[in-house]
Amino acid sequence: MNERRLKFWGWGWEGESATDAEVDHLKRTYGAALKVGSFPDIPPPAEDEFKLPIPRLSPPDSLAAICSGDPYTRLAHCMGKSLPDAVRMFNRQAPHVPDIVAFPESEEQVSALMDWAGDEGAALIPFGGGSSVVGGVEPIVDDAYKGTITLSTVRMTGVVEVDKTSRAACIRGGTRVPDLEAALKPHGLTLRHFPQSFPMATVGGMIATRSGGHFAMLYTHIDDLVESTRTVTPAGIMESRRLPGSGAGPSPDRFIIGSEGSVGIITETWLRLQDRPVYRANAAAWFDDFYKAAEAVRAIAQSGLNPANCRLVDAAECQINGVSDGSCHLLILGFESAHADVSTAMARVKELVADHGGDIGDGGNAKDAVDRWRMAFIRMPYFREIITPWAILNDTFETSITWDRLPDFHRKVMDATRTAIKDATGQDGIVTCRFTHVYPDGPAPYFSLHCKADQARMLDQWNIIKSAASDAVIDNGGTITHHHAVGRDHQPWYEKQRPILFGDAYRAAKQTLDPAAIMNPGVIVN
Amino acid sequence: MNERRLKFWGWGWEGESATDAEVDHLKRTYGAALKVGSFPDIPPPAEDEFKLPIPRLSPPDSLAAICSGDPYTRLAHCMGKSLPDAVRMFNRQAPHVPDIVAFPESEEQVSALMDWAGDEGAALIPFGGGSSVVGGVEPIVDDAYKGTITLSTVRMTGVVEVDKTSRAACIRGGTRVPDLEAALKPHGLTLRHFPQSFPMATVGGMIATRSGGHFAMLYTHIDDLVESTRTVTPAGIMESRRLPGSGAGPSPDRFIIGSEGSVGIITETWLRLQDRPVYRANAAAWFDDFYKAAEAVRAIAQSGLNPANCRLVDAAECQINGVSDGSCHLLILGFESAHADVSTAMARVKELVADHGGDIGDGGNAKDAVDRWRMAFIRMPYFREIITPWAILNDTFETSITWDRLPDFHRKVMDATRTAIKDATGQDGIVTCRFTHVYPDGPAPYFSLHCKADQARMLDQWNIIKSAASDAVIDNGGTITHHHAVGRDHQPWYEKQRPILFGDAYRAAKQTLDPAAIMNPGVIVN
């Protein structure tokens, strides 16, 4: 069987990349925006360009059939899809390659792998879609571990049961979002939770990392869609009861959601589903002033109307993504429903936009901008492999903040990031902001940065910028991540944000479930 | 200062009770429904009818001013407001009276009390509104403890800060709901979270017990309104960051929400608020068949319209509360908004009701029924002190269940409860059901039972019925509580429901925060 393979060195599946037209567009964009004049063509790495260390572990006979030590497989599981990951791949650097990659097909095999790792003194690194942009899947462990085993969940797939009455489904943890949607479609149902990583993302991975999805309001995080979880830990199986709501003690699901593989592998879950939308209304509005636009978003977020789409994209981000000429800020609005006309709600939102100085414009103008934005959102991850050889750093970070602090927070984070770019590279870069999700009490601002780096110093330069941006987010009251997860990259700032005693309590809880500390060391618990 | 005092033996404040008209109504109701013929008049207990044990503890000088050992205070903190609590009070039984009741005014005093309890080997029982109906505040501890200290939070009150922009407020944990609403009103804001216990309930107590509030959909539990928490634990203070949303590891707030005093005292919280509603639409519908009515509720719950009120009250519950003649089931519907007309949404919900065979009736009929239901809901807790001397058991229990299992679940729980009443009392009782909250994936059914007991055996008879009902809930897949909390009464069933490993993990976490195990022993962690 010729299985489709994920690129080991970049985003998506083998054979997928930016189109020639997109590459031309990127050249024009960065030529204009960053005065980049040369676009060196460095081919992506090949497997044989990496000299991999000999695996330090050898699986027992009972597990050999589900374990692989072949170079492609080890390389494909040695890091995620972050900017430094791409830089290192183009540098032909893979400093932390798992000794073994295991593909269990059952919970029994997951348990057996945990037992083996415990016996060997090896670390076990959970791997779902592998789309981490925060170092969540890279097997970086200290010398106390005798080796690393990456546990891929992608052979534990499928929809076990669909409950149309309650609009929920029992899904195995390794199921990828497109496969899930295909399985739900005949039932007229959809999860309708589409992170940017959706081509690869797995259900278990989304729960482990508290992913953010399609809905700008209400059902923002996967958290809200989880009805129950089933997790294999080194100490055994932890399964919560399927319930629409409960008040019986602290939520066991909320303990697992966001655990990022630090206590176990989410093998099964009941998720709440949506009917496929029938009624839709979309609009876009233009604003001259970002903070006035933010005030409009606040009014909408506090109106109780809960649009499915309410995304504010600042002018610079519109421009660099080819959405507009960058003269105005764009607010994308959408309602959808399977059951009721949404035009009244959209009319009310348009009033709020107009009240706050937004220009709803004509339908065509708005529709084009929204379509262009949507396409940019989907295609963006594929551009990293194009621009990394050009020594262009394009990274993102995201957070949330209450409305009262937004203007000051936004200015300080933008300034700190711009200053760090200048400090690190000696040149001005571009920093942009959009809101990915909004709440009645505040937005989730998502920042993008673009700058020209030095080919030989890209990692160092990125580190300087990432550190400064993370400091600014934490020092000014934000969260180190709204939906990208903690991973190894955010762990130092996460520890500043997390209540110290909660960290202590979680560490004790982990000790109970993972007494040999084999599960994803360095993530959540350090 | 003549402070208003809570009744030590019943619901509400001293001087409050059922009116003569209500007592007459109760006599007629139970005379007809349970063939009760005699209504003995047992006066409520007086303080001097209890012989209290001499306090085993004596506070250090530094804490003496905030500690009380007087009989009223000890009696007022010796149990909650459940049915067995009322029975025992009328029996002049107070088997577990705290040795000392402390009223700290600051976090420093809370910490000092914890230190003292730890040094003495005493248990510390948190006490907010004291409205627990699940044994959550009764100082029942084993002989390993040298005594019991009840820590009342009601002198740590007030709104510290209002953030109108983000619609949130920082509130001290002991603030009662009516006082909170009074403080928010000048700002045009409201928490709009009104459990049945609202006259007494404190903000910290609601968070600790995951209370259920005003909204039938969306913002059902206080959980959804918590922006951050600040908790004093024996190991120190745990404070989460104020954030509209976060994806940084497992939620520290969700660890505290539902902890029921087992790890600390919630001294402060930022809560999300609502604008005061301006637009309203209310309606009521009648159904001949309960399960058809439930199907209508399901359609509404899955419509995305999210009414603020969507409460199905079965015919028997309507009848015994004087809402109607009991020939039909009542569905109460309401929309409210501060910002937009809600008539379109109500019109669509009415269509869904009609589609499912509901009779919307005329406006007057509906309004009367809704008003009567609302009054019954508010006044109900005051009736326990009237009917307990009559040896009438009227208790409630509540749960949630997914829609697919609802009909079978409902039948089995109703049957098991009816059978248990017959077994325990030798007579038929009445069991009714309403939905207090609904979710797209299932309702939260709330059961009430009414039966004639034997004066001398009321506690035993209640125990038989409560056990059978709890068994039925757990055996058939429900949660032991949707919003009444776990307390000591539900702990055995909670342990059946809770994933064993989550219990182990939570126990380890508690050990970290409360190493001397002084906090509310027997609740959540046994």
Side-chain angles (χ1 to χ4, degrees), chain A residues 68-80:
Chain A
S68 169
D70 83 76
Y72 162 79
T73 305
R74 291 174 72 199
L75 283 169
H77 294 83
C78 76
M79 56 181 77

Side-chain angles (χ1 to χ4, degrees), chain B residues 113-183:
Chain B
L113 286 163
M114 288 175 177
D115 290 345
W116 174 44
D119 292 345
E120 287 274 357
L124 202 65
I125 316 296
F127 197 103
S131 62
S132 174
V133 289
V134 294
V137 294
E138 183 161 351
I140 306 178
V141 299
D142 66 33
D143 293 342
Y145 293 93
K146 303 244 173 65
T148 56
I149 303 160
T150 290
L151 189 159
S152 168
T153 62
V154 298
R155 287 200 195 151
M156 295 185 289
T157 63
V159 175
V160 178
E161 189 182 340
V162 174
D163 170 5
K164 275 201 76 161
T165 308
S166 314
R167 285 199 335 203
C170 180
I171 306 155
R172 296 182 80 201
T175 311
R176 294 190 201 273
V177 178
D179 298 334
L180 172 62
E181 291 296 328

Side-chain angles (χ1 to χ4, degrees), chain B residues 127 176 183 186 218 227 331 356 463 474:
Chain B
F127 197 103
R176 294 190 201 273
L218 274 191
E227 197 178 67
L331 176 58
H356 288 82
N463 257 318
I474 290 299

Side-chain angles (χ1 to χ4, degrees), chain A residues 285-293 315 326-330 356-359:
Chain A
W286 300 100
F287 288 84
D288 292 332
D289 184 278
F290 183 74
Y291 299 115
K292 282 194 186 155
S327 58
C328 294
H329 312 283
L330 173 66
H356 289 83
D359 174 13

